[in-house]
Amino acid sequence: MNLYAKIEARPAQPVIRIAGEDVLCDSSGALFLAEESILIVSDLHLEKGSSYARRGSFIPPYETGVTLTRLEAVIARYRPSAVISLGDSFHDDGGAGRMPDIYRERLLGLMSGRDWFWVTGNHDPSPPEGLPGQSVEELALGNLIFRHMPEGEEGEIAGHLHPGARIVQRGRSVRRACFATDGLRMVMPAFGSLTGTLNVLDRAFAGLFHRERLVAYMLGKAQVYPIAGSLLRS
Amino acid sequence: MSTTLPITGDEADALLPERFREWFAARGWTPRYHQLELLKRTGEGRSVLLIAPTGAGKTLAGFLPSLVDLATRERRRPGEPMRGIHTLYISPLKALAVDIQRNLNTPIEEMRLDIRVETRTGDTPSHKRQRQKQVPPDILLTTPEQLALLIASGDAERFFEDLRYVVLDELHSLVTSKRGQLLSLGLARLRRLAKEPISIGLSATVAEPDELRRWLVDQSAESALADLVTVPGGAKPNISILETEDRVPWAGHSSHYAIPAIYEEIKKHKTTIIFVNTRSQAEAIFRELWHVNEDVLPIALHHGSLDVGQRRRVEKAMESNSLRAIVATSTLDLGIDWGDVDLVIHVGAPKGASRLAQRIGRSNHRMDEPSEAILVPANRFEILECRAALEANYVGAQDTPPMGEGGLDVLAQHVLGRACASPFDEDEFYAEVRSAAPYSNLDRHTFSRVVDFVATGGYALRTYERYARIRRMKDGRWRISHPSVAQQYRLNLGTIVEEAMLNVRLIRDRRSSSFARGGVSLGKVEEYFLEQLAPGDTFFFSGRTLRFEGIRESEAYVTNAPGDAMVPSYMGGKFPLSTFLASEVRAMLANPDRWDALPDQVADWLRLQKDKSVLPHREDLLIETFPRGDHYYLVAYPFEGRLAHQTLGMLLTRRLERMGAKPLGFVATDYTLAVWTVRDVGQMIRRGKLSLNELFDEDMLGDDLESWLAESWLMKRTFRTCAIISGLVERRHPAKEKTGRQVTVSADLIYDVLRTHEPDHILLQATWKDAATGLLDIGRLSEMLSRIKGRIRHKDLEHISPLAVPIMLEIGREHVPGATEDYLLSEAATDLIHEALGE
């Protein structure tokens, strides 16, 4: 199989318009701005395992590795010149400091040769300890503004809420993480491997979107499925 | 054995102190043989298993040794230290402990014995628990969970050092569960804390008494058994099947048709207990009884999801004989001796003999009078099942499940509890654990892995060493690393893991913009059920019709609704059909001569089936295919019980997907399995594109099972249970209670991560073992697949067959794993485009 066929084998990922800017929704849960070559990922929650372990709950210590593997794949796919990590990059402020060396090195490998922005989140309000990249509270780019906590502003790309959506089709329920948008703003899915979802119809999302224009871009195996707000179930 | 020479009068005198003899005499009783026998054996220091039918005075017999011992022991002298508890009574049900206290108080008061009896359950207020620790009662009545808490506390040694007797009630029902496994470990601990305590197990008739005899005593010694005392069965119960002119429904479990007849029976009797298999069934029947309750008879409802206060009120009313009928689930199953119950109505098919016998034992709690019971089949297949049960003289048979090996998740919990009490030596503790029957085969390596799991999670990637919950001290013993670990243990203790449940709150006005905080809490409902509801749907709960308004955080808001409920909440009986009964039902189906015994409508139904399709032979598997609506159906009739069918359904949909039939879902009952597909399976078979022999080949239990388990929600549910019991996932955290919903999410994610990264992890092993014997019933499926080899009869039909009607009405919502989910998403996505185009 040649390289061309390989690329073709992956179904087209939808490009949608948010506040007049084209953004591509990747089925991994990352967002790509092709023109600027910027990749955005949100809510990585790295070192969540060790954060729990500190409190005596030993969830598997593999989530950091898995998240990095996913990140490596999507970065290899788009080769962005800049990456924005949209907050809650680490599960807590001490996360970067606790990160085992094997993972730190892989992360540094990903960061090298490109700009890297750590948007601060509620889990990680301080810049990650001992890692390069620029720590910012928010970032503006054209009509878009990137911040962790959604405020509902037009052009806003946010994370924090881990949106998920549920449909019932042919009597069966399907639940997936999703990009939630009404065309003017977007809440991104959590990219981290050990993160749950919160239904977009939950009241935490109340007032963020024009309800009648809400579309959930639900993440399939290799494809993103746009689902009309009217079909969503709580 | 119990069949020794009768105990002579002199011997009885020697065994029973005068005060006791006088008391028996005053009541006009003579001590029963088994009561004296128990006294004698325990007097010789032997542990004993007492097997007796309900009504045989089992409880009094069980306590007689301790009452005698306590009555004759020396009084505590002033200045002597407080004594620890003398007798520990453990029952699976809180209500049972309360009930026993009442029964014990009578002889104690009447004989003026200086014996203090107290209960300790989850409902006991903390100041009382505190006091019990300082001033232990002579007899403590409690539950397995409370015992686990007691032995995990720092003062366990002092509390139990004087313990003489452990009375274990309803042992047959305890031992087959994880609760029983935890209890067996607790008992092993008690044997170390006290000086040779005597165990007395009280049990209904079981198939393998030796299993229970082993369970009661230290297994360090080869083939150690407790003594056995058996009380022969009492009068045979009178059991009949409800006869009715009304139409018996095809499917479902509502028994709506039988309500008038049930009501007539209630009127004819003093007190009736109506047993059902599920909570929602109880709800429905209760409600319908009230519909027809023209005489306004006091009829009550009792099930585990109801609010505690509500349950207590019903129990009180029951005690005082002020109820005419009570509709109940298994919360009332066990030996509670309440009031003058003279009729038991069992709604739904019996499913298993032991349960039925136990429930029937509720009526006329005196051995020498026959119990009266009526079986009410809820649908046509259940009529067959009830009939088969009676014809096979089934109620005398026994089909308790085998005990099985102890779960590693339970062991993990116990290890942490052990460390919370005091530091332990791994070798000594290993020997102690092996002395418990369910763990007598546990190998040392596995034990160490469990200890390692408790310490740091037991992962190959050892990054959690510095966060260890238990650590080795310099002398090699293990201890907890921080007092907060003990606190965490206490909050997570227990082996009962509820389905994710949401509290149901009744509010007045649905139009008020914010749901008012007030409103009455009605109890809890499974989240998966509520998730299927849309606002406006109505359902039964807590004895009324409710309108679902929405879910806010961990509460479901409802309003009162008039009329009948739209959505039946039945999700299938909890107990699968036993193998024995299944085979009897198949035999009855295959033999038209036996149909005469059936009600006409059922016999007609079977004749119609014979006409339109075929009837399966006893050892055959009938498969029907037909189109209906926009789907195609494949219906199989294995009669192997719901669990095995569910597993079969999972595996079949996998294979059908691979064969290109595009399965969309399946539904399984105790009798039947139906799969529906996008493509015409019947046609695929006709054209040779799909072979049924291949589809049902035994090899599905190999790779298919393995790869299905990777994504199975059943496996995830089993894993969630193991994760919670073992303490990997917290049940609750101080100051922050997790809702079931949150736990589900994270347990599922953890399962996926573990499978990918550490498939040999000890918790996955525990999960697999549980699933194979529990929810998956693989053993039974495997037997069936080999039985039907070359015996599949396929009938390709143009319409649904009569026999398929019941299952078609049950069509539910099972998940089909794999790509089909994405298919559904793409379908919904297309809808969006139609919508966008204004179609």
Side-chain angles (χ1 to χ4, degrees):
Chain A
M1 199 195 289
N2 61 29
L3 189 62
Y4 178 75
K6 256 189 195 163
I7 292 165
E8 276 303 283
R10 211 178 134 72
Q13 311 287 305
V15 175
I16 56 174
R17 204 153 251 267
I18 305 284
E21 306 275 351
D22 285 338
V23 299
L24 179 149
C25 301
D26 188 81
S27 63
S28 67
L31 202 64
F32 186 58
L33 309 187
E35 215 164 297
E36 294 87 356
S37 182
I38 297 178
L39 186 82
I40 305 106
V41 287
S42 188
D43 297 272
L44 301 177
H45 286 269
L46 297 167
E47 289 305 303
K48 184 173 181 171
S50 60
S51 182
Y52 272 74
R54 284 189 310 160
R55 289 182 274 136
S57 190
F58 301 118
I59 60 177
Y62 302 102
E63 87 296 337
T64 299
V66 176
T67 304
L68 287 175
T69 304
R70 287 190 195 173
L71 199 54
E72 283 157 358
V74 72
I75 284 179
R77 200 143 65 225
Y78 296 102
R79 305 190 176 284
S81 57
V83 170
I84 301 173
S85 177
L86 205 53
D88 288 0
S89 310
F90 287 89
H91 192 70
D92 61 66
D93 251 349
R98 288 196 309 270
M99 202 176 194
D101 288 343
I102 37 163
Y103 296 143
R104 177 183 303 273
E105 253 130 60
R106 284 172 64 186
L107 181 57
L108 288 173
L110 285 174
M111 296 177 75
S112 83
R114 52 179 56 95
D115 292 331
W116 198 284
F117 299 95
W118 300 108
V119 175
T120 54
N122 53 313
H123 279 262
D124 53 353
S126 316
E129 198 183 314
L131 285 174
Q134 200 179 332
S135 178
V136 293
E137 273 182 29
E138 47 185 59
L139 267 178
L141 190 82
N143 294 337
L144 300 178
I145 179 145
F146 299 91
R147 62 167 68 99
H148 179 65
M149 298 257 217
E151 291 170 10
E153 193 181 330
E154 224 176 283
E156 174 184 84
I157 309 282
H160 181 61
L161 291 173
H162 301 207
R166 187 171 82 93
I167 58 162
V168 175
Q169 187 73 5
R170 297 191 184 228
R172 288 190 36 215
S173 169
V174 181
R175 186 198 302 271
R176 291 292 169 85
C178 69
F179 295 90
T181 180
D182 60 0
L184 292 175
R185 52 191 72 78
M186 170 182 274
V187 180
M188 290 180 62
F191 192 88
S193 65
L194 209 61
T195 50
T197 58
L198 180 68
N199 195 301
V200 287
L201 302 185
D202 189 276
R203 76 170 156 194
F205 290 88
L208 282 182
F209 300 111
H210 283 296
R211 183 66 180 78
E212 64 279 10
R213 277 187 243 149
L214 174 65
V215 177
Y217 288 82
M218 294 173 74
L219 307 187
K221 280 198 163 56
Q223 206 171 338
V224 174
Y225 300 95
I227 308 292
S230 57
L231 290 176
L232 300 179
R233 299 284 193 99
S234 59
Chain B
M1 287 300 294
S2 60
T3 49
T4 47
L5 292 171
I7 291 174
T8 61
D10 289 349
E11 231 182 314
D13 289 355
L15 289 166
L16 266 189
E18 201 178 342
R19 227 190 304 185
F20 286 73
R21 270 177 277 147
E22 282 167 10
W23 181 71
F24 270 94
R27 298 211 131 203
W29 294 350
T30 353
R32 288 192 178 160
Y33 164 75
H34 66 271
Q35 293 170 329
L36 293 172
E37 191 64 27
L38 203 64
L39 264 178
K40 190 175 147 197
R41 308 283 179 118
T42 53
E44 291 159 6
R46 304 282 303 166
S47 288
V48 184
L49 172 66
L50 174 64
I51 291 186
T54 32
K58 215 171 12 185
T59 316
L60 182 60
F63 278 103
L64 211 48
S66 27
L67 292 181
V68 169
D69 194 36
L70 280 166
T72 51
R73 78 169 171 182
E74 274 181 47
R75 292 186 74 112
R76 192 171 71 93
R77 287 194 212 98
E80 204 180 305
M82 207 51 91
R83 283 174 176 151
I85 55 168
H86 175 274
T87 297
L88 188 65
Y89 163 88
I90 294 167
S91 104
L93 287 180
K94 273 190 259 182
L96 200 50
V98 176
D99 199 54
I100 296 293
Q101 184 176 30
R102 214 176 38 239
N103 291 348
L104 266 183
N105 278 340
T106 312
I108 288 174
E109 279 165 22
E110 291 180 0
M111 287 189 270
R112 293 206 195 85
L113 301 175
D114 181 22
I115 296 174
R116 219 151 42 81
V117 183
E118 288 183 13
T119 59
R120 185 187 181 96
T121 69
D123 299 339
T124 308
S126 61
H127 66 268
K128 190 175 168 196
R129 293 185 199 204
Q130 209 60 40
R131 193 181 44 68
Q132 281 174 343
K133 284 269 185 89
Q134 285 151 6
V135 191
D138 300 308
I139 299 178
L140 184 68
L141 314 172
T142 190
T143 60
E145 288 70 28
Q146 292 299 320
L147 173 64
L149 276 175
L150 285 168
I151 58 172
S153 70
D155 47 13
E157 223 155 304
R158 197 177 56 81
F159 194 72
F160 289 114
E161 65 182 352
D162 298 319
L163 184 71
R164 294 295 304 133
Y165 293 96
V166 185
V167 182
L168 300 137
D169 207 351
E170 304 288 344
L171 193 59
H172 58 283
S173 85
L174 265 174
V175 291
T176 52
S177 67
K178 292 198 176 196
R179 285 180 94 195
Q181 295 165 10
L182 186 66
L183 182 58
S184 77
L185 293 166
L187 193 59
R189 189 88 271 272
L190 287 176
R191 283 194 290 260
R192 297 292 190 277
L193 292 171
K195 296 171 222 63
E196 297 178 18
I198 290 167
S199 320
I200 300 173
L202 311 177
S203 167
T205 326
V206 288
E208 302 284 344
D210 283 2
E211 287 195 334
L212 295 191
R213 294 171 69 189
R214 267 194 294 279
W215 196 95
L216 283 169
V217 292
D218 192 320
Q219 292 301 298
S220 313
E222 193 84 10
S223 62
L225 289 175
D227 283 7
L228 175 66
V229 174
T230 309
V231 182
K236 246 181 159 8
N238 292 328
I239 310 174
S240 55
I241 298 175
L242 184 80
E243 303 258 337
T244 165
E245 295 298 304
D246 295 296
R247 224 177 87 95
V248 180
W250 295 105
H253 300 264
S254 79
S255 305
H256 173 76
Y257 79 96
I259 294 296
I262 291 176
Y263 187 67
E264 283 312 306
E265 293 296 335
I266 293 173
K267 285 211 285 193
K268 275 192 250 163
H269 290 82
K270 272 199 300 237
T271 312
T272 304
I273 297 187
I274 300 152
F275 274 118
V276 297
N277 287 329
T278 67
R279 187 257 300 150
S280 49
Q281 249 178 314
E283 288 287 345
I285 285 179
F286 174 71
R287 189 174 173 285
E288 290 176 3
L289 278 177
W290 270 99
H291 264 320
V292 298
N293 192 358
E294 286 162 0
D295 303 304
V296 204
L297 301 178
I299 299 175
L301 175 67
H302 192 285
H303 63 66
S305 315
L306 286 180
D307 193 63
V308 183
Q310 216 166 325
R311 260 182 289 164
R312 293 290 166 273
R313 278 196 295 283
V314 171
E315 286 161 16
K316 279 265 178 293
M318 190 75 185
E319 268 170 39
S320 59
N321 278 328
S322 55
L323 291 178
R324 287 295 294 280
I326 182 165
V327 182
T329 60
S330 56
T331 46
L332 265 181
D333 236 11
L334 301 166
I336 295 175
D337 195 354
W338 274 344
D340 298 327
V341 175
D342 56 347
L343 174 67
V344 170
I345 293 180
H346 192 282
V347 176
K351 303 299 170 200
S354 302
R355 170 168 304 103
L356 183 62
Q358 185 76 10
R359 288 178 163 183
I360 288 173
R362 294 284 66 75
S363 86
N364 259 2
H365 236 212
R366 298 229 290 280
M367 272 179 74
D368 30 10
E369 290 173 30
S371 303
E372 200 188 340
I374 300 175
L375 304 182
V376 181
N379 58 52
R380 294 178 180 212
F381 272 121
E382 287 194 352
I383 290 182
L384 293 175
E385 191 184 324
C386 289
R387 195 70 240 167
L390 288 196
E391 284 188 13
N393 193 14
Y394 184 51
V395 174
Q398 298 160 17
D399 55 2
T400 30
M403 219 178 290
E405 293 204 346
L408 298 178
D409 51 344
V410 175
L411 179 59
Q413 186 180 105
H414 183 67
V415 168
L416 188 59
R418 176 66 193 86
C420 290
S422 59
F424 69 84
D425 175 86
E426 198 171 313
D427 293 330
E428 270 174 36
F429 187 36
Y430 172 59
E432 178 187 316
V433 165
R434 291 237 309 181
S435 79
Y439 295 91
S440 56
N441 290 324
L442 181 73
D443 65 273
R444 181 56 204 260
H445 175 65
T446 307
F447 178 73
S448 292
R449 284 185 68 195
V450 171
V451 173
D452 180 41
F453 168 81
V454 172
T456 58
Y459 300 108
L461 189 68
R462 307 203 68 85
T463 54
Y464 289 164
E465 301 291 340
R466 58 183 148 154
Y467 312 115
R469 282 190 298 196
I470 59 172
R471 288 180 202 284
R472 276 184 191 277
M473 308 194 296
K474 286 217 180 73
D475 65 5
R477 289 186 304 160
W478 290 91
R479 64 166 178 81
I480 52 171
S481 56
H482 193 270
S484 66
V485 173
Q487 189 191 7
Q488 203 180 16
Y489 165 78
R490 283 194 291 274
L491 290 165
N492 284 301
L493 177 135
T495 55
I496 300 173
V497 175
E498 300 273 331
E499 288 278 351
M501 303 282 265
L502 294 180
N503 195 32
V504 176
R505 192 172 288 284
L506 180 67
I507 52 169
R508 277 219 192 92
D509 184 8
R510 64 169 184 271
R511 278 172 296 277
S512 65
S513 56
S514 63
F515 290 111
R517 278 188 182 264
V520 195
S521 168
L522 297 178
K524 290 179 183 293
V525 170
E526 290 88 347
E527 185 181 359
Y528 68 76
F529 168 66
L530 291 169
E531 272 204 342
Q532 305 296 334
L533 299 182
D537 286 353
T538 52
F539 64 105
F540 294 137
F541 184 66
S542 192
R544 49 185 125 198
T545 304
L546 299 168
R547 182 181 191 278
F548 176 68
E549 302 295 346
I551 294 173
R552 291 285 178 280
E553 268 127 43
S554 61
E555 295 208 313
Y557 287 85
V558 297
T559 51
N560 273 317
D564 287 341
M566 277 160 40
V567 182
S569 48
Y570 187 76
M571 292 297 286
K574 280 189 180 140
F575 318 107
L577 182 67
S578 73
T579 316
F580 175 84
L581 261 193
S583 152
E584 286 302 307
V585 171
R586 278 200 307 272
M588 175 168 274
L589 214 53
N591 183 357
D593 295 341
R594 294 179 64 180
W595 299 353
D596 293 340
L598 298 168
D600 287 347
Q601 43 185 332
V602 178
D604 288 347
W605 170 48
L606 297 183
R607 280 183 206 110
L608 203 63
Q609 168 70 15
K610 207 172 158 205
D611 222 35
K612 301 275 180 195
S613 177
V614 289
L615 276 159
H617 290 171
R618 185 170 185 164
E619 301 304 322
D620 285 356
L621 175 67
L622 170 64
I623 310 269
E624 294 173 333
T625 47
F626 52 84
R628 188 159 188 275
D630 50 353
H631 299 324
Y632 295 88
Y633 291 83
L634 181 152
V635 180
Y637 302 88
F639 295 92
E640 289 295 346
R642 193 173 47 87
L643 298 181
H645 290 172
Q646 233 160 27
T647 303
L648 180 62
M650 291 291 179
L651 298 177
L652 284 185
T653 46
R654 251 193 123 71
R655 302 193 137 203
L656 285 168
E657 186 154 332
R658 205 164 53 227
M659 295 172 175
K662 283 202 169 92
L664 283 166
F666 74 87
V667 63
T669 67
D670 267 338
Y671 318 101
T672 322
L673 168 74
V675 186
W676 57 100
T677 56
V678 175
R679 284 192 60 192
D680 184 348
V681 178
Q683 191 190 59
M684 289 173 77
I685 297 170
R686 278 198 308 278
R687 296 190 179 163
K689 290 195 174 142
L690 192 152
S691 147
L692 281 176
N693 286 326
E694 216 175 281
L695 184 64
F696 281 85
D697 194 279
E698 281 170 277
D699 66 8
M700 75 167 81
L701 295 177
D703 289 353
D704 276 311
L705 181 63
E706 184 60 27
S707 57
W708 160 53
L709 286 177
E711 6 185 332
S712 155
W713 64 271
L714 271 174
M715 201 64 177
K716 283 181 176 168
R717 212 163 81 178
T718 310
F719 177 77
R720 175 174 172 267
T721 306
C722 286
I724 291 175
I725 292 176
S726 68
L728 179 72
V729 171
E730 284 182 18
R731 204 186 279 264
R732 285 176 239 139
H733 200 267
K736 191 179 116 195
E737 182 148 335
K738 280 196 163 190
T739 65
R741 168 179 243 145
Q742 284 168 311
V743 171
T744 311
V745 171
S746 50
D748 287 2
L749 290 169
I750 291 170
Y751 174 77
D752 289 339
V753 173
L754 266 187
R755 265 201 65 92
T756 327
H757 297 275
E758 207 165 330
D760 295 330
H761 191 264
I762 189 137
L763 214 54
L764 287 182
Q765 281 180 21
T767 306
W768 164 250
K769 241 168 97 180
D770 274 11
T773 51
L775 288 168
L776 304 181
D777 215 350
I778 289 170
R780 198 155 164 197
L781 177 58
S782 152
E783 271 169 37
M784 192 269 287
L785 290 177
S786 81
R787 172 170 63 80
I788 59 153
K789 225 173 183 164
R791 311 196 61 141
I792 296 179
R793 296 188 68 181
H794 173 226
K795 193 81 187 164
D796 193 22
L797 301 166
E798 278 172 30
H799 301 287
I800 175 175
S801 78
L803 214 53
V805 170
I807 188 105
M808 296 297 288
L809 295 172
E810 295 267 3
I811 297 278
R813 316 166 180 91
E814 300 287 344
H815 288 248
V816 182
T820 313
E821 282 211 349
D822 267 41
Y823 171 76
L824 293 176
L825 283 171
S826 70
E827 222 179 43
T830 322
D831 287 352
L832 178 73
I833 290 159
H834 290 315
E835 192 178 286
L837 295 172
E839 283 173 16

